Amino acid sequence: MLEIGIIRNQKERVVEGYHKRNLPETAIQELDVIISLDDERKSVQTSLDATLAESNALSKEIGDLFKAGKANEVAEKKEKVAALKEMTKELETKHKEIKDRIEEKLLSLPNVPHSSVPKGKTPEENEVFKAWDKSFPSLHADALPHWELAEKYDLFSLSLGVQLTGSGFPVYKGKGAKLQRALISFFLDEATNAGFQEIIPPLLVNRHSARGTGQLPDKEGQMYYCEKDDLYLIPTAEVPVTNLYREAVVPVESLPIKMTGYTPCFRREAGSYGADVKGLNRVHQFDKVEIVVIEHPDKSYDTLMSMVQHVEGLLEKLELPYRILRLCGGDMGFNSALTFDFEVFSAAQQKWLEVSSVSNFESFQANRMTLRYKDTDGKNKLAHTLNGSALALARIVASLLENNQTTDGIVIPEVLRRYTGFDKI
RNA sequence: GGAAGAAUGGCAGAGCUGGUUUAUUGCACCGGUCUUGAAAACCGGCGUACCUGAAAGGGUACCUGGGGUUCGAAUCCCUAUUCUUCCGCCA
């Protein structure tokens, strides 16, 4: 949720940013509506506070009269307070109504893109921030896509998942299962070695948490929901891990707070279809190691770059061909101010697969969940939050299988062998 | 699942027979006195959000969340949530 102060004081920057996102003019006009609603809110509060002050004073006088034994003089004052109370009620209702309307409008506005974000509507307009300048792996003639490799080596099965649950819920088996576990351990070890504290969070969250990181109301339809208990299955570890600091005030010295967590992720992916959903390209349940940072506003962009480097390191170590994109305004998520996407090249499918997304949300999430730090001047200020996948498993597995296939098996990257215990599938 | 009790400021912990209450006190923290320095002792300060104001200041709300009674509620009533203890069930 955008800070109302930013809308009031930096309106030009907001408008410019929204143009980069290609928002319709009606969305931009909302800014003025919000400002005038906020003006109204202020003036209503001024009268409300004055009315309350008057009743408070009268009540005190009534108390004093009772004590002085002048109960007979009380009636008139009581009537006055009763009249004030009517007024208070009206003003309170109005005040709440305006506040709710402002909140509702603020919730519907996306974050303001960072100045480096390119204008654009579609993924094609994303900027290649770092291209792959080495050669792609050359596969043998009978190279297979990962879903066929899975069958050939009995690594995972989507049809068994259908039997148990439905489409998009893979069942990993044998070396396929071990490979999952190896990747998770590898990613977690890399993150903890880089100073991220490991967290194992719950996989279901309440609506406050879903709202805190911005999944609600924006992505309600993308989450699995347990109606009976009013809980959501997490679409990413970002949700529980960031919400550990919901409504917290942390000392400035404790920044940055660096956390990592492995969780399965659940996504309904409503509306997806076609070739993109083949194999592990798009599934409803996948494993992911996430990194989350709570940072001082002055340092959040340096931190973003160090997170990008961390993810790059992982892909280097896995020896996968990758590139980094700086997302354009139109392709960037609702909450983000700047996002770098990582894509790995799948040699057998001949296409790039998104395996990580690293973003700075600035104060957008922090404002929604009131996550603050106590500054050296003693004031509480909104922190910045950042997160990134490091990494999402299913597509890494897909590209690993495809890129590393040879005529006599699939080669496991060197760094993973101590986790898998085998060097070839 | 059943029964009883509890939820107060960074922490501990009063108030809870309704009326000089943001709230006794202790610890922590900050400033000062003393000291060569530190500790101790003593003195002073010490919540958050919003409104108003150039500022100093003034005002309002907040004692888990929501609702109610009352001229007036931390204090009474209802409700939700969480925690503790006991009983039941159980990986």
Side-chain angles (χ1 to χ4, degrees):
Chain A
M1 186 165 72
L2 211 52
E3 293 175 64
I4 194 147
I6 292 180
I7 297 177
R8 294 193 80 110
N9 306 323
Q10 305 174 42
K11 201 179 128 196
E12 279 177 31
R13 186 171 76 84
V14 177
V15 170
E16 194 186 327
Y18 281 2
H19 281 135
K20 278 192 195 167
R21 280 187 181 268
N22 288 292
L23 291 190
E25 276 307 309
T26 50
I28 288 162
Q29 284 156 10
E30 281 292 273
L31 299 175
D32 288 321
V33 176
I34 289 171
I35 291 173
S36 68
L37 277 172
D38 195 44
D39 289 338
E40 201 184 337
R41 186 200 110 246
K42 286 182 180 185
S43 90
V44 170
Q45 186 173 337
T46 305
S47 351
L48 175 61
D49 285 355
T51 313
L52 283 169
E54 205 178 333
S55 341
N56 284 346
L58 281 168
S59 294
K60 201 167 273 178
E61 283 173 32
I62 292 170
D64 291 341
L65 285 173
F66 269 121
K67 268 196 216 153
K70 297 178 185 168
N72 51 328
E73 293 172 33
V74 154
E76 190 193 343
K77 290 186 190 294
K78 276 197 184 183
E79 265 175 51
K80 261 196 200 164
V81 178
L84 286 173
K85 207 178 171 184
E86 284 295 307
M87 226 155 91
T88 307
K89 243 183 191 151
E90 256 172 60
L91 287 167
E92 259 173 357
T93 311
K94 198 167 169 195
H95 190 251
K96 188 175 183 314
E97 206 180 281
I98 297 171
K99 265 180 76 176
D100 288 350
R101 273 180 69 196
I102 293 174
E103 164 114 358
E104 189 195 320
K105 285 184 184 297
L106 283 176
L107 280 172
S108 71
L109 292 177
N111 204 352
V112 180
H114 184 255
S115 58
S116 71
V117 170
K119 188 174 162 62
K121 282 183 190 169
T122 63
E124 285 70 41
E125 290 167 87
N126 292 335
E127 170 194 319
V128 178
F129 180 73
K130 184 172 181 183
W132 180 250
D133 50 11
K134 293 167 229 166
S135 60
F136 291 113
S138 57
L139 300 185
H140 56 92
D142 306 319
L144 301 170
H146 66 273
W147 52 90
E148 287 180 31
L149 290 168
E151 211 167 307
K152 181 172 170 186
Y153 296 103
D154 197 25
L155 301 176
F156 66 84
S157 161
L158 282 158
S159 56
L160 282 174
V162 170
Q163 178 183 325
L164 301 181
T165 310
S167 73
F169 290 91
V171 174
Y172 296 92
K173 300 162 78 178
K175 284 185 172 176
K178 195 75 184 277
L179 179 60
Q180 288 288 116
R181 207 143 52 80
L183 282 164
I184 293 165
S185 298
F186 168 64
F187 292 148
L188 280 174
D189 285 351
E190 288 289 311
T192 50
N193 288 341
F196 293 87
Q197 186 192 32
E198 184 174 348
I199 305 285
I200 300 182
L203 306 182
L204 286 94
V205 293
N206 59 32
R207 57 176 58 248
H208 297 291
S209 299
R211 176 172 274 256
T213 31
Q215 276 68 27
L216 285 181
D218 191 41
K219 294 180 188 150
E220 172 135 39
Q222 289 299 334
M223 282 188 291
Y224 288 98
Y225 173 58
C226 303
E227 194 174 0
K228 208 165 183 180
D229 298 289
D230 195 23
L231 296 173
Y232 295 85
L233 271 78
I234 58 169
T236 156
E238 163 198 345
V239 179
V241 172
T242 314
N243 272 283
L244 290 172
Y245 286 87
R246 175 151 43 89
E247 277 164 58
V249 180
V250 301
V252 68
E253 320 79 80
S254 70
L255 300 175
I257 297 169
K258 299 168 71 180
M259 296 172 286
T260 184
Y262 152 69
T263 67
C265 301
F266 304 93
R267 298 189 183 179
R268 295 185 63 229
E269 302 292 358
S272 301
Y273 60 90
D276 280 351
V277 305
K278 202 126 198 206
L280 295 177
N281 287 356
R282 189 175 289 272
V283 284
H284 292 308
Q285 179 181 330
F286 61 94
D287 296 295
K288 179 160 65 65
V289 172
E290 184 80 359
I291 49 177
V292 173
V293 181
I294 296 164
E295 180 59 288
H296 191 283
D298 293 348
K299 297 183 188 150
S300 64
Y301 280 95
D302 290 340
T303 299
L304 180 68
M305 293 324 293
S306 75
M307 291 165 77
V308 165
Q309 272 171 22
H310 177 76
V311 175
E312 244 187 300
L314 299 177
L315 293 170
E316 297 277 357
K317 287 178 188 172
L318 290 175
E319 302 163 57
L320 289 167
Y322 68 94
R323 64 177 186 180
I324 306 175
L325 304 175
R326 190 202 303 264
L327 296 194
C328 72
D331 197 32
M332 206 165 59
F334 186 84
N335 301 318
S336 179
L338 178 57
T339 296
F340 290 100
D341 267 11
F342 284 72
E343 294 184 331
V344 163
F345 192 72
S346 150
Q349 297 178 71
Q350 284 291 307
K351 66 181 189 188
W352 292 97
L353 298 176
E354 183 194 330
V355 293
S356 176
S357 196
V358 183
S359 305
N360 187 356
F361 304 97
E362 297 189 356
S363 64
F364 196 83
Q365 287 182 329
N367 186 34
R368 194 176 281 208
M369 66 172 100
T370 45
L371 192 187
R372 295 169 299 176
Y373 65 97
K374 190 167 282 294
D375 208 350
T376 41
D377 61 7
K379 294 256 163 59
N380 293 338
K381 296 176 185 167
L382 291 175
H384 282 193
T385 60
L386 306 95
N387 68 50
S389 1
L391 282 163
L393 280 236
R395 292 184 195 155
I396 286 287
V397 170
S399 46
L400 215 51
L401 297 180
E402 292 176 7
N403 286 324
N404 292 11
Q405 60 185 305
T406 66
T407 42
D408 58 10
I410 299 163
V411 180
I412 300 297
E414 187 68 43
V415 288
L416 285 182
R417 292 180 190 169
R418 53 181 277 246
Y419 295 99
T420 54
F422 49 84
D423 55 12
K424 195 178 271 185
I425 294 176

